[in-house]
Amino acid sequence: MYMAVMAAEQYEMVVTAWVRLARGYTRILAMVEDELKARNLPELAWYDVLIELKRAHPEKLRPKDLQARLLLPQHGMSRLLDRMDAEKLVRREPCAEDRRGQLVSITTAGQEMVRRMWPVYRNGLRQALGQKLSERELDQVATILQKVERR
Amino acid sequence: MYMAVMAAEQYEMVVTAWVRLARGYTRILAMVEDELKARNLPELAWYDVLIELKRAHPEKLRPKDLQARLLLPQHGMSRLLDRMDAEKLVRREPCAEDRRGQLVSITTAGQEMVRRMWPVYRNGLRQALGQKLSERELDQVATILQKVERR
DNA sequence: TAAGATTGAAAACTCAATCTTT
DNA sequence: AAAGATTGAGTTTTCAATCTTA
């Protein structure tokens, strides 16, 4: 328990480290979003939804499962799916077991969209991270962040 | 140059590490935002603006300087300052040297707001990071992310 | 009563256009 | 023509309220 013995003046260090992390994250994702926009591709949230549905396929997912994975509120997911449905990238259908719910699946057009978005995402990561961090350093970040992930 | 020799199948590792980082970041900031909202305090972007102005005080800052530090577009900063001005946390005045521009400064109410927001921010970081990472690990993250920061 | 999901109205964000000064 | 900043119009997000089924 690090913080239990952490002196007050060390908080500044934590803040600094975390803000730096935040800035790095923001900049890289912004770069990817810009690239996507320049190619008339949708935003990253769409990719996140599509990749979850693609991994689940041929299983279907409930909106509440997607919410939990993407950390979106119910109404946010509802409206995101509205837009993606309008573009025919996902399909919604009633759920037989729980008639309050729905089942969402990826369409053929959705799978094609994943294939078009992935190279942009990959290149963003490559440019932002790949040339600056060694394999060992990436490994360290992964390990450390995994600890934060486990609440 | 790590990526130059990085095999195609290793991209997945990079993505995984980065997405994990993104999720950690998102969750922690969301936690802080929720706490702020629960106490009827404004969002973190306001804190970022106020802390920059407070550090600069008694110097004043131009909106373009704030934009650069907060990675906001011109119109975003313009409207953010509109709202903060309406709450009397900042003050805008014409700039004598460059009459296209403005000078922004923090008010007494703004300084008081920083004092009220800081404990919430600090506690969020403490809970999210402090109990999970050792001092050495935090140091590692800081060092590694610094490399990403340098473009 | 609670859970899953949607909706209307208001707030915030985005884009391109605009205005003023350099 | 370019830089600093604001604005109108359209889109997305947010909050609370609502609807349906469990």
Side-chain angles (χ1 to χ4, degrees):
Chain A
M1 287 302 185
Y2 168 44
M3 215 63 185
V5 299
M6 185 167 158
E9 70 268 18
Q10 288 185 301
Y11 291 150
E12 184 61 26
M13 193 272 271
V14 182
V15 175
T16 304
W18 198 253
V19 166
R20 194 172 292 147
L21 192 155
R23 291 264 150 84
Y25 166 65
T26 302
R27 172 147 18 79
I28 291 173
L29 286 208
M31 194 186 308
V32 174
E33 296 282 12
D34 286 350
E35 268 301 312
L36 289 170
K37 197 166 300 170
R39 292 161 203 273
N40 279 311
L41 292 169
E43 46 172 332
L44 270 176
W46 291 38
Y47 183 84
D48 289 337
V49 170
L50 291 173
I51 205 71
E52 293 293 344
L53 291 174
K54 187 163 178 248
R55 283 189 187 129
H57 195 265
E59 302 291 314
K60 295 164 185 182
L61 296 180
R62 301 276 297 267
K64 61 168 183 142
D65 299 324
L66 287 166
Q67 285 155 35
R69 298 185 202 189
L70 304 199
L71 302 173
L72 277 184
Q74 264 189 351
H75 58 260
M77 182 54 70
S78 179
R79 296 209 146 122
L80 177 54
L81 290 175
D82 284 347
R83 282 170 247 142
M84 297 181 71
D85 193 11
E87 300 290 329
K88 309 270 190 226
L89 300 178
V90 303
R91 189 174 10 250
R92 281 195 274 200
E93 58 195 271
C95 175
E97 296 128 40
D98 184 343
R99 284 187 303 173
R100 290 172 303 184
Q102 293 212 327
L103 289 174
V104 186
S105 55
I106 189 169
T107 64
T108 309
Q111 305 211 17
E112 169 60 18
M113 183 57 80
V114 171
R115 274 193 291 278
R116 290 171 60 206
M117 292 179 82
W118 166 240
V120 179
Y121 196 176
R122 187 195 58 199
N123 283 337
L125 291 163
R126 178 193 287 187
Q127 286 176 27
L129 292 178
Q131 304 187 344
K132 285 168 184 146
L133 300 183
S134 72
E135 192 165 354
R136 192 161 154 282
E137 285 168 335
L138 268 174
D139 231 15
Q140 278 182 2
V141 174
T143 304
I144 291 170
L145 271 300
Q146 217 168 12
K147 293 198 185 188
V148 178
E149 186 100 8
R150 284 186 239 119
R151 314 181 142 277
Chain B
M1 285 303 186
Y2 167 44
M3 216 61 186
V5 299
M6 184 167 159
E9 69 268 18
Q10 287 184 301
Y11 290 151
E12 183 61 27
M13 196 272 270
V14 181
V15 175
T16 304
W18 198 252
V19 166
R20 195 171 291 148
L21 191 156
R23 291 265 150 83
Y25 165 64
T26 302
R27 171 144 21 77
I28 291 172
L29 285 207
M31 194 187 307
V32 174
E33 296 280 13
D34 286 350
E35 267 300 313
L36 289 169
K37 197 166 301 169
R39 293 161 202 273
N40 279 312
L41 291 170
E43 46 172 332
L44 270 176
W46 291 39
Y47 183 84
D48 289 336
V49 169
L50 290 173
I51 204 71
E52 293 292 346
L53 291 174
K54 188 162 176 250
R55 284 188 186 130
H57 195 265
E59 303 291 315
K60 296 166 185 182
L61 295 179
R62 300 278 296 269
K64 62 168 182 141
D65 301 323
L66 288 165
Q67 286 154 35
R69 297 184 204 191
L70 303 200
L71 302 174
L72 277 183
Q74 265 190 350
H75 58 261
M77 182 54 69
S78 179
R79 296 207 146 122
L80 177 54
L81 290 175
D82 283 347
R83 282 169 248 141
M84 296 181 71
D85 191 12
E87 300 290 329
K88 309 268 189 227
L89 300 178
V90 303
R91 188 174 10 253
R92 282 195 273 201
E93 57 194 272
C95 175
E97 296 128 38
D98 184 344
R99 285 186 303 174
R100 289 171 305 182
Q102 293 211 327
L103 289 175
V104 187
S105 55
I106 189 169
T107 63
T108 310
Q111 306 210 17
E112 169 59 19
M113 182 58 80
V114 170
R115 274 193 290 279
R116 291 171 60 206
M117 292 180 81
W118 166 240
V120 180
Y121 196 176
R122 187 196 57 201
N123 282 339
L125 290 164
R126 178 194 287 188
Q127 286 176 26
L129 292 178
Q131 304 186 345
K132 284 166 186 150
L133 299 182
S134 72
E135 193 165 354
R136 191 162 153 281
E137 285 168 335
L138 268 174
D139 231 15
Q140 278 182 3
V141 173
T143 304
I144 291 170
L145 271 301
Q146 217 167 12
K147 293 199 185 186
V148 178
E149 186 98 7
R150 284 185 238 119
R151 314 180 143 277

